[in-house]
Amino acid sequence: MKFNSPVETNLFDDAKIIGKPTQRVDGPLKVTGTAPYAYERNDAAPDALYGYPLGAAIGHGRITAMDAEAARNAPGVRAVVTTLDIDPLEKGMNNVARLFGGNEVQHYHQAIAVVVAETFEQARAAAARIDVTYEEGEAADLDLDAAFRRVEGSGEPDTLFGDVDAAFRDAAVVTDQMYHTPGESHTMMEPHASTVDWSDGGDMTVWTSNQMINWNHQSIATTFGIEPERIRVESPYVGGGFGAKLWLRADAVLAALGSRAAGVPVKLALPRPMVMNNTTHRSATVQRIRLAANPDGTLKGIWHEAAAYCLPGGRGENATAQTPIFYAGETRRVKNHVLDMPLPETADMRAPGEASGLMALEIAMDEMAEALEMDPVRFRIINDTQVNPSDPDIPFSDRHFVECLERGAEAFGWAERNTSAGGRRDGDWLIGHGVAGAYRGALVLPSGARAILDGGKLIIETDMTDIGTGSYTIIAQTAAETMGMSLDDVEMRMAHSAYPVSSGSGGQFGAPSSTSGVYAACMALREKIAGNLGLQDPTFADGNVVSGETRMSLSDINEEVSAEDAIEWGDFQDGYAMGTFGAHFVEVGVHAYTGETRVRRMLAVCDAGRILNPVTARSQVIGGMVMGVGAALSEDMALDRGRGFFANHDMASYEVAVHADIPDQQVIFLDTLDGVATPLKAKGVGELGLCGAAPAVANAMYNATGIRVRDYPLTMDKFIDQLPSI
Amino acid sequence: MRAFSYEKPANPSEAVARAAEVEGAKFLAGGTNLLDLMKHEIEAPAHVIDVNGLGLDEVTETEDGGLRIGTLVTNTALSAHPRIRRDYPVLTRAIAAGATGQLRNKATTGGNLLQRTRCPYFFDTNMPCNKRSPGSGCGALTEGAFSRQLGVIGTSSSCIATHPSDMAVAMRVLDAIVETVTPSGMTREIAVEDLHLLPGDTPERETALMPGELITHVRLPAPVGGTQAYHKVRDRASYAFALVSVALVRQADGTGRVALGGVAPKPWRRADADAQLPNGAAAVMSVLLDGATPTEENAFKLTLAERTLAAMLKEA
C-alpha cells in the first residue's frame, strides 16, 4: 500500500477496537513467567550450554598475549574462544567498535573471550582464569568541555537562517548560558542476551533480545560472512531496550562463536557490570544556548551549539535536534559537533537528540521567560509556530503544542504555582513548580505484514518486535478493526525473520509504522476475500463479510486465505513537518538544609495523533516521565577520566529512579488526529514522555530554590553552598 | 566464583573450631554481601561455614535493662522489635533506611556490621585496590578517578573507602558491644567503636576480629532516652548508599551523641564532638570532621553533614 496523500475518512473513524483501552494481550504470559525470553529458550534449545564473556580490562590499547590454558582445563569447560583466535569480524549496521576478533582494544569491557561450559558457574569461573597481557594506549584528553571550547564557532552551521548577529545585537533581552548533560545508560531490566545454535557452523538460529529483527539478521550475515538465508532470528519478548538493542551486540556474536566451537547451542547474557561499557550509551553533551527576544516575548533568535563524543566513525548525541523546528523566531544558528574520544560506544537512547537537547533548551526558555518577567507557559505559547521556521512553506502536519500547554496549566493548577523563586516552603522543604515543552519527531519507516484468514481465525505475521511497549496488542487491535473481527479471533506471530519485514521498534516509529503495515496487509486480505467470493466492495463487520444481500461469516470460509503487503510512505509527507508535542508540569520539594530533591507530582499532556491504546500509551508516557526524573536527579555515568571508562557500571551505583522517587503521575492525551502521518492518523508516543520531563524538574527546582543549576544531574553537591544559610 | 566446600555446623563452638581448622574459611550468614563478592571473585573462600543453623536469632533482655541481640536476627526483625522501636528508635530508623525490604529480610545483625565497602574500584577486579589486592594501589586516588561516594575522613593515602552500613552508625551512637567466640573457643567483648579499623597502610585489615572469630551477639546498653533520629541523605529516595547519614541522640538539656555514616571507613563519632552538641551543628562538625581530607568530588560531604545535623537539631 502506498500512502500517497493525507487520509480523510477511513474505517478507523468509526473504530470499535482501536483507540479503546485494552489490556496487553501478552500480559498473562508475562505475569505467569511463561513468555520465552532470549536467555530462557528451554522450549527451543533445551540442551543449550552456558556462555560467559570476558571484557577488556583497559580503556584502550592492544592485547599482546592471552593464556587461556587454565580456562580450557577448568571443570565443565567445553570451549574457549579468544579474540586472538580469530581475525577481526566484519562490523554490522551501526557497529562502530568491533564486536570481536583481533588484538585491538577500543574501549573498556570490549569482548575479548567467551567460555562455554556445562553450568553458568563453571563458565564464569573459567573466564576469570584467562590471563591477558595488555599494552595500554596513550592517555587521551577526555575533557568534553575543553574540546567544545576548541571547536566552538568552527564548521558550517547545520541550520542557519536570518541575520543572527543582528538579531542578538538588537534584541531587548539576551540570554547566554552553558549546559551539561551526562552520559546515560539505558539500564533496561533484561541485559543483552541471546541463545544461538550454530552447532555445525552451517545454518544459524538466533534467539535474541533485539528491537530490530531485520537489521539484526543482516548484521549477523555481515559479521560472520554467511548468507542471510541460512540465519533465523527470533526475538518474541524483549525485557526493555530503549535503543540499547537496536543493533547486533556481543551477546549474540559470542554465543554464536561459542556454539560453533562447542558444537552445541549456547546461551549468553551480558553480566550487568559489563553492559554499561561493553554496549552503547547516550553520550554526554555540552551545550551553549543563546536566546534573543523582543519585549513582547517573541523570539528574535536562537543560537544553539553543542558537542558530544563518540568513537571515530561513530555518532554522538545531537542535542540540537529540536532547535531548528520547535519554536518560532526569525533567525537561527544551530551547530552540533561530534568529537572523537576513545570511550565506550555511543549510540541511540530513547529520544536520541531531543531528550538531551530539551534538557538544555527548556531551561533556557525558562531563563528567558524570567528575564522577560513573563509566565513561562505564556512565553512558550507566544513562540508557537505552525510552520517550519526555516522554511515557512512547510506546515506542520498537525501541531497542538499550545493546547498541551493550556490544558496542562489548567489541570495542574498552574495559576496557583509559586511565583517567587525560593519563596514557598512546606516545613523544611522548598516547594517549586516548573513547566517544559516536549517535542519529538514523528518518524515512520516502511513496514510489512502478512494476514491469514484460517477457519475464522485471523493470523498476523510480521517481524515487528514488542519491547514492552504493547506492539502485540495494538497490532492485534488494528487487525481486528480492519477485518471487522473480534480481538479474540486474532493470533499474533511476531519478531521472527521468516515473517515480512517491519519497521521494528525504535525512535517511536514502531507503533505508527507497524500498525500501518498490518492495516495494508489486512486490506489486501479483504480484497482477496472479496475476489474469491466475487463480492463488490464488501464491508467487514461483526465477523461477517457483507455486500448487498450477501452476508457470510468469515468463519465459514473454509479455505485459508493469505495476503501480504507493506506500507510505503509517499513523498507528499516531505511537504510537511511531522512531530509529536507535549507539555510537562512538575512540582518538587527541595530540602532547604540538605538539597535532597523529591518530585511531588507530575503531569504530561501529549499531542501524538490518534492514541491507539490508551492503556499501553499511558504506560509508555509515564515510563518516559520516570526516565526523565532519573535524568534530572540521579543518572550519571561516572567517567574515570584517567582510565577512560565508566566506573559506576552496575545498578547499585548508576542510580535510575526507584519507586520511592515517583509520585502521582498524570497523563492527558489530546484527542488529535494526524491524517498526514499514517492511515490510522497516529504518531508514536513512546519517546515523547521523556522529552521535556527532566527540564520541567530542573525548572521546578529553580522555582523552589532560586538557584539555577545547568549541569545534570541536579544533585546537591552542585548547589548546596547556595542554599539558604543555616 | 571459585569452587568451595561447604558445611553447616550446629553450634558456635563447632563453627569456630572448623574455621580454625580449615584454611581460607568464611562464615556465611544472610549472604547478601558475601555471595555477591564471591561471584566477582573479590572473596574466594576455599570453605564456607554456614552459620544459619546456630540459633543466635533471638533478642533477650539483659540485667541492666539493655538488650542482647543474636547475631542472626535479621535486619527486618530487629528494626521491627517492639523494644528497639520503643527504646532505641535510632536503630529502627537506621535499619529501615538501608537497602530494600527483600535484602533486610535476609541480612543479619552480625553480617551487617561486617559488610564490605561499595567502592567501585574495590568491586571492579580489573582496577587496582589496596583493600582487595594489597599493594596494587588505590584506584580511587588516581587523577580523574570517580570518588564522589567515597570517604572524607579517617581515610589514608592507601584507601578512601567508606563503611556502607546504616545499622552500624546507629549501633555506634548507642555504644553497642559485640560479643564473639574466638577460634580457641573463648568469648570476648569488643566495643563497636573498636570493631572497625582505620585503613592506614593496611586497608585489607578491616576489623579487630581474629581470623575465624565469630560474632555471636550484639549488646545494647540500657536505653539512653532522649530524642533519637537518623537522617540518611542520598540522591534517590531509596535503595542507595548514604552520601552522608547522621545518627543523633539528643537529651532535653541539649547534650547528646552524634555519629556519621557515608564519610569514613567506620561509623564516625568522637566524644569531644558530642560535647559540642549544645553549641550547634557547626561546632560539632568543626571537631568531628577536623582533619578531613576530601577529594574535589566529595568535599561537599563536609557541608552536607553539617547542614543535615542542623536540620535534625532544629527538629529534636
Side-chain angles (χ1 to χ4, degrees):
Chain A
M1 179 185 284
K2 283 214 160 49
F3 189 60
N4 277 334
S5 60
V7 58
E8 300 292 332
T9 59
N10 64 15
L11 62 91
F12 297 106
D13 296 324
D14 302 314
K16 296 182 178 64
I17 301 172
I18 240 351
K20 306 295 183 236
T22 307
Q23 296 296 327
R24 281 168 207 277
V25 297
D26 50 330
L29 285 177
K30 289 183 172 172
V31 298
T32 56
T34 48
Y37 285 86
Y39 195 70
E40 293 144 6
R41 292 311 300 262
N42 301 332
D43 58 326
D47 302 324
L49 296 187
Y50 295 83
Y52 198 87
L54 181 67
I58 60 170
H60 68 115
R62 64 188 190 94
I63 296 169
T64 54
M66 290 180 84
D67 181 356
E69 200 55 27
R72 286 184 218 281
N73 294 328
V77 170
R78 299 276 281 271
V80 178
V81 183
T82 78
T83 192
L84 300 185
D85 294 341
I86 64 170
D87 290 333
L89 293 172
E90 293 295 319
K91 290 189 278 190
M93 279 176 77
N94 278 310
N95 288 146
V96 180
R98 255 180 316 93
L99 293 177
F100 200 71
N103 69 350
E104 190 188 1
V105 175
Q106 292 164 286
H107 59 83
Y108 191 69
H109 275 169
Q110 190 168 19
I112 58 170
V114 58
V115 175
V116 178
E118 286 156 20
T119 70
F120 172 80
E121 289 75 14
Q122 288 170 333
R124 183 177 58 190
R129 301 281 83 72
I130 298 173
D131 195 26
V132 188
T133 312
Y134 299 96
E135 186 179 290
E136 290 202 48
E138 300 251 319
D141 182 356
L142 303 174
D143 185 339
L144 186 61
D145 244 328
F148 175 76
R149 270 180 242 113
R150 285 194 294 273
V151 298
E152 192 183 3
S154 69
E156 281 296 302
D158 304 322
T159 298
L160 179 65
F161 61 86
D163 189 341
V164 182
D165 293 326
F168 278 84
R169 192 178 57 236
D170 301 340
V173 185
V174 171
T175 60
D176 180 359
Q177 295 290 349
M178 297 292 299
Y179 305 85
H180 296 83
T181 66
E184 289 179 356
S185 181
H186 307 80
T187 321
M188 61 283 155
M189 281 294 286
E190 181 201 32
H192 300 72
S194 296
T195 302
V196 177
D197 187 354
W198 199 21
S199 306
D200 59 6
D203 292 353
M204 187 194 296
T205 304
V206 182
W207 298 276
T208 189
S209 179
N210 197 280
Q211 300 172 224
M212 309 293 292
I213 297 294
N214 184 245
W215 294 356
N216 203 39
H217 190 218
Q218 300 296 330
S219 292
I220 293 167
T222 307
T223 300
F224 293 110
I226 55 178
E227 302 78 36
E229 296 73 33
R230 304 185 67 183
I231 303 164
R232 190 176 102 209
V233 180
E234 293 182 37
S235 182
Y237 297 97
V238 178
F242 308 125
K245 297 170 180 170
L246 286 168
W247 322 111
L248 178 67
R249 298 301 316 171
D251 55 308
V253 170
L254 296 181
L257 292 170
S259 174
R260 186 174 61 175
V264 287
V266 167
K267 59 179 178 179
L268 185 143
L270 292 185
R272 181 65 64 179
M274 257 182 85
V275 172
M276 185 181 278
N277 288 282
N278 173 272
T279 71
T280 63
H281 68 280
R282 190 202 299 279
S283 59
T285 71
V286 176
Q287 306 180 46
R288 180 176 180 187
I289 299 180
R290 280 167 272 192
L291 300 178
N294 296 311
D296 66 0
T298 51
L299 282 167
K300 285 177 73 73
I302 304 176
W303 186 336
H304 192 173
E305 189 161 357
Y309 56 78
C310 69
L311 285 169
R315 298 171 301 145
E317 185 84 350
N318 178 9
T320 66
Q322 67 292 320
T323 306
I325 202 158
F326 190 21
Y327 289 111
E330 64 219 39
T331 73
R332 203 144 312 182
R333 184 184 173 100
V334 178
K335 174 69 179 175
N336 188 48
H337 305 274
V338 180
L339 307 170
D340 290 349
M341 284 189 184
L343 285 173
E345 190 165 334
T346 55
D348 310 87
M349 177 168 155
R350 200 176 198 175
E354 286 96 330
S356 313
L358 290 168
M359 285 166 78
L361 180 63
E362 290 301 302
I363 294 183
M365 290 294 285
D366 206 58
E367 294 184 86
M368 177 55 93
E370 186 183 36
L372 291 162
E373 296 180 9
M374 186 175 278
D375 174 355
V377 170
R378 177 86 195 130
F379 176 54
R380 286 175 174 84
I381 290 171
I382 287 173
N383 288 291
D384 184 48
T385 177
Q386 291 295 317
V387 298
N388 180 345
S390 67
D391 186 353
D393 292 336
I394 305 281
F396 278 97
S397 59
D398 196 57
R399 170 171 166 138
H400 303 275
F401 179 48
V402 170
E403 199 181 339
C404 290
L405 290 160
E406 289 176 341
R407 281 281 298 278
E410 190 188 334
F412 187 76
W414 185 247
E416 283 79 50
R417 74 190 185 280
N418 174 42
T419 49
S420 62
R424 188 178 294 188
R425 246 177 125 122
D426 175 4
D428 285 342
W429 295 86
L430 300 163
I431 307 302
H433 303 94
V435 63
Y439 165 81
R440 170 71 178 148
L443 187 65
V444 284
L445 293 182
S447 194
R450 187 181 298 121
I452 305 158
L453 184 69
D454 183 9
K457 201 154 192 65
L458 178 63
I459 299 160
I460 301 298
E461 294 179 343
T462 171
D463 83 356
M464 180 63 186
T465 50
D466 187 326
I467 61 171
T469 44
S471 314
Y472 278 110
T473 312
I474 57 169
I475 289 175
Q477 287 175 275
T478 304
E481 189 78 58
T482 308
M483 296 305 298
M485 298 172 73
S486 92
L487 206 53
D488 294 337
D489 292 331
V490 182
E491 179 185 330
M492 294 299 306
R493 297 177 184 166
M494 299 208 315
H496 191 305
S497 56
Y499 302 147
V501 174
S502 73
S503 61
S505 300
Q508 76 172 19
F509 53 67
S513 305
S514 67
T515 53
S516 298
V518 168
Y519 167 67
C522 288
M523 291 306 284
L525 180 65
R526 283 169 55 134
E527 201 169 312
K528 218 163 194 178
I529 291 168
N532 290 353
L533 298 175
L535 300 175
Q536 292 294 318
D537 297 325
T539 56
F540 290 75
D542 306 321
N544 298 312
V545 51
V546 182
S547 176
E549 295 303 301
T550 311
R551 179 185 198 86
M552 185 171 182
S553 170
L554 291 173
S555 58
D556 290 339
I557 298 175
N558 291 326
E559 218 148 275
E560 181 182 297
V561 193
S562 170
E564 183 179 335
D565 200 2
I567 192 80
E568 292 170 51
W569 305 102
D571 295 342
F572 85 96
Q573 287 182 327
D574 297 342
Y576 298 89
M578 298 202 304
T580 61
F581 307 90
H584 288 276
F585 293 82
V586 169
E587 178 179 299
V588 302
V590 181
H591 197 284
Y593 287 76
T594 64
E596 292 159 283
T597 301
R598 303 290 178 249
V599 178
R600 294 158 74 107
R601 58 192 178 103
M602 311 181 81
L603 165 71
V605 184
C606 300
D607 165 30
R610 186 193 305 279
I611 297 303
L612 301 168
N613 181 350
V615 173
T616 51
R618 179 177 184 278
S619 179
Q620 284 297 295
V621 175
I622 63 173
M625 292 156 79
V626 169
M627 199 177 254
V629 171
L633 298 180
S634 59
E635 290 186 45
D636 184 0
M637 290 174 71
L639 174 63
D640 181 322
R641 295 187 308 280
R643 298 183 175 88
F645 85 116
F646 296 101
N648 57 340
H649 51 67
D650 58 36
M651 290 176 77
S653 48
Y654 179 82
E655 295 185 14
V656 299
V658 295
H659 284 86
D661 292 302
I662 303 304
D664 180 43
Q665 293 179 293
Q666 276 190 57
V667 180
I668 296 171
F669 290 113
L670 296 188
D671 192 14
T672 58
L673 297 170
D674 191 337
V676 172
T678 74
L680 284 81
K681 305 177 185 172
K683 294 179 282 197
V685 75
E687 300 185 333
L688 183 62
L690 169 60
C691 297
V697 174
N699 292 338
M701 280 183 64
Y702 170 74
N703 181 252
T705 61
I707 304 164
R708 186 69 76 175
V709 185
R710 303 178 184 87
D711 182 3
Y712 291 92
L714 311 168
T715 47
M716 82 278 288
D717 45 318
K718 293 167 184 163
F719 62 91
I720 193 165
D721 290 337
Q722 300 169 65
L723 283 170
S725 59
I726 53 175
Chain B
M1 188 182 279
R2 304 279 183 96
F4 58 89
S5 52
Y6 170 92
E7 71 179 308
K8 191 170 180 180
N11 57 64
S13 53
E14 189 188 332
V16 292
R18 290 292 292 150
E21 277 167 38
V22 187
E23 199 173 331
K26 278 266 177 191
F27 295 122
L28 172 71
T32 59
N33 189 214
L34 179 63
L35 295 183
D36 282 353
L37 294 169
M38 287 170 67
K39 290 172 188 173
H40 288 286
E41 297 199 9
I42 296 161
E43 297 266 19
H47 186 65
V48 170
I49 300 171
D50 184 340
V51 297
N52 285 293
L54 304 186
L56 302 176
D57 57 354
E58 289 184 358
V59 179
T60 54
E61 313 236 346
T62 59
E63 281 178 12
D64 66 356
L67 291 176
R68 189 164 183 246
I69 303 156
T71 191
L72 293 173
V73 172
T74 67
N75 286 181
T76 297
L78 187 59
S79 66
H81 193 278
R83 278 290 313 276
I84 300 288
R85 289 170 61 121
R86 191 185 76 196
D87 295 332
Y88 308 92
V90 67
L91 182 55
T92 289
R93 288 179 178 144
I95 293 172
T100 65
Q102 295 93 326
L103 287 166
R104 295 194 298 268
N105 286 341
K106 290 297 291 177
T108 63
T109 306
N112 187 312
L113 289 173
L114 298 181
Q115 68 180 299
R116 306 196 68 190
T117 186
R118 262 61 178 192
C119 173
Y121 296 91
F122 174 74
F123 254 85
D124 187 335
T125 52
N126 291 326
M127 294 297 137
C129 173
N130 287 321
K131 186 183 281 298
R132 171 170 37 74
S133 179
S136 61
C138 175
L141 278 173
T142 54
E143 179 68 25
F146 172 53
S147 61
R148 180 172 181 267
Q149 284 279 346
L150 301 177
V152 296
I153 194 160
T155 53
S156 73
S157 58
S158 294
C159 181
I160 60 168
T162 55
H163 193 269
S165 172
D166 292 298
M167 187 198 81
V169 182
M171 291 291 192
R172 177 73 186 92
V173 91
L174 293 169
D175 282 332
I177 296 150
V178 172
E179 299 180 11
T180 72
V181 187
T182 68
S184 57
M186 306 291 285
T187 59
R188 69 162 175 155
E189 295 184 353
I190 305 168
V192 85
E193 172 183 5
D194 299 323
L195 178 66
H196 299 102
L197 307 179
L198 294 183
D201 53 11
T202 55
E204 72 279 12
R205 292 185 56 234
E206 294 178 349
T207 72
L209 298 178
M210 294 177 253
E213 186 172 6
L214 179 71
I215 295 177
T216 57
H217 300 86
V218 177
R219 214 169 63 234
L220 292 174
V224 292
T227 303
Q228 303 190 7
Y230 189 77
H231 192 138
K232 179 177 182 179
V233 182
R234 43 193 160 175
D235 295 322
R236 65 180 173 192
S238 176
Y239 206 7
F241 294 100
L243 293 165
V244 164
S245 68
V246 181
L248 175 68
V249 176
R250 196 185 197 207
Q251 305 298 341
D253 63 3
T255 63
R257 312 165 170 197
V258 60
L260 301 181
V263 296
K266 61 189 285 187
W268 199 248
R269 183 178 164 204
R270 279 174 62 162
D272 51 355
D274 284 356
Q276 291 296 325
L277 261 176
N279 302 322
V284 170
M285 291 303 164
S286 70
V287 176
L288 190 53
L289 295 174
D290 182 37
T293 54
T295 67
E296 195 179 326
E297 279 189 359
N298 67 19
F300 74 98
K301 289 189 174 193
L302 305 180
T303 311
L304 182 58
E306 181 182 329
R307 295 184 67 99
T308 305
L309 179 62
M312 297 167 77
L313 291 177
K314 189 175 58 66
E315 298 291 321

